[in-house]
Amino acid sequence: MISAPPVTNRIEESKVAVAAPQPLGPQEKKDKKKKKEQQTGKPKHKSSKAVRQAAGDTWIDKSMEDWPENDYRIHCGNLGNEVTDELLAMAFKRYRSFLRARVIRDKRSSKTKGYGFVSLGDPQDFLAALREMNNKYIGNRPIRVTKSSWETRCLPTKKPTKKVKTE
């Protein structure tokens, strides 16, 4: 009778040497980040905290994390109920640096609150949009376009230092 080789030999033969992963260089990290952005379709932004305060409560506004940092944002007022994010985006897509558009809706009824925001990456496009898009019809109404003041609504994330009076 022929005997089979010992089991320990089979296990040792099936072991494969696995090399430890090498750390990525700076250019490789950038390439990996670009590849991920292309796959997901969204650029990964640093999570900046938008601290809000109203009625004595303070909270972190997580809805601001979806918007690009250092953009030029336009407030669009007088929007009708038929205006959607896509319709607002189509109106502003003619500007090359267009990034995002959002119509603000009531959570309960899903009707628009009558305003929305558009994000542009270039200051020249921002100024052109302010001039050209004011009183243009989107849906059934002419929109009112102004510079958004979202940056001034954020509270500072660092605690202010106390000033000590010396006399």
Side-chain angles (χ1 to χ4, degrees), residues 13-26:
E13 290 173 3
S14 66
K15 289 183 182 177
V16 177
V18 177
Q22 298 294 323
L24 299 175

Side-chain angles (χ1 to χ4, degrees), residues 56-95:
D57 291 335
T58 305
W59 70 94
I60 296 174
D61 189 1
K62 294 184 180 180
S63 67
M64 297 298 287
E65 293 175 0
D66 297 339
W67 290 86
E69 290 183 18
N70 300 325
D71 63 342
Y72 297 91
R73 204 161 304 164
I74 296 174
H75 175 267
C76 302
N78 196 31
L79 296 177
N81 196 33
E82 72 282 352
V83 178
T84 62
D85 293 347
E86 293 81 21
L87 190 62
L88 188 60
M90 283 177 51
F92 282 89
K93 276 192 179 177
R94 66 179 179 186
Y95 300 101

Side-chain angles (χ1 to χ4, degrees), residues 9-118:
N9 289 344
R10 288 183 188 170
I11 294 172
E12 290 175 11
E13 290 173 3
S14 66
K15 289 183 182 177
V16 177
V18 177
Q22 298 294 323
L24 299 175
Q27 184 62 37
E28 292 169 333
K29 286 181 182 179
K30 289 179 184 177
D31 293 341
K32 186 177 179 181
K33 184 177 178 181
K34 282 183 182 178
K35 186 176 180 181
K36 187 173 184 178
E37 287 176 4
Q38 290 172 351
Q39 290 174 349
T40 60
K42 289 183 180 179
K44 184 176 179 183
H45 300 290
K46 295 177 185 176
S47 60
S48 62
K49 293 183 180 180
V51 181
R52 304 285 190 192
Q53 183 177 14
D57 291 335
T58 305
W59 70 94
I60 296 174
D61 189 1
K62 294 184 180 180
S63 67
M64 297 298 287
E65 293 175 0
D66 297 339
W67 290 86
E69 290 183 18
N70 300 325
D71 63 342
Y72 297 91
R73 204 161 304 164
I74 296 174
H75 175 267
C76 302
N78 196 31
L79 296 177
N81 196 33
E82 72 282 352
V83 178
T84 62
D85 293 347
E86 293 81 21
L87 190 62
L88 188 60
M90 283 177 51
F92 282 89
K93 276 192 179 177
R94 66 179 179 186
Y95 300 101
R96 293 180 55 181
S97 65
F98 170 78
L99 299 172
R100 183 171 183 205
R102 173 98 189 252
V103 175
I104 307 302
R105 298 192 167 274
D106 184 20
K107 291 181 182 179
R108 292 184 182 151
S109 65
S110 298
K111 291 184 178 181
T112 65
K113 289 190 174 184
Y115 65 95
F117 297 95
V118 174

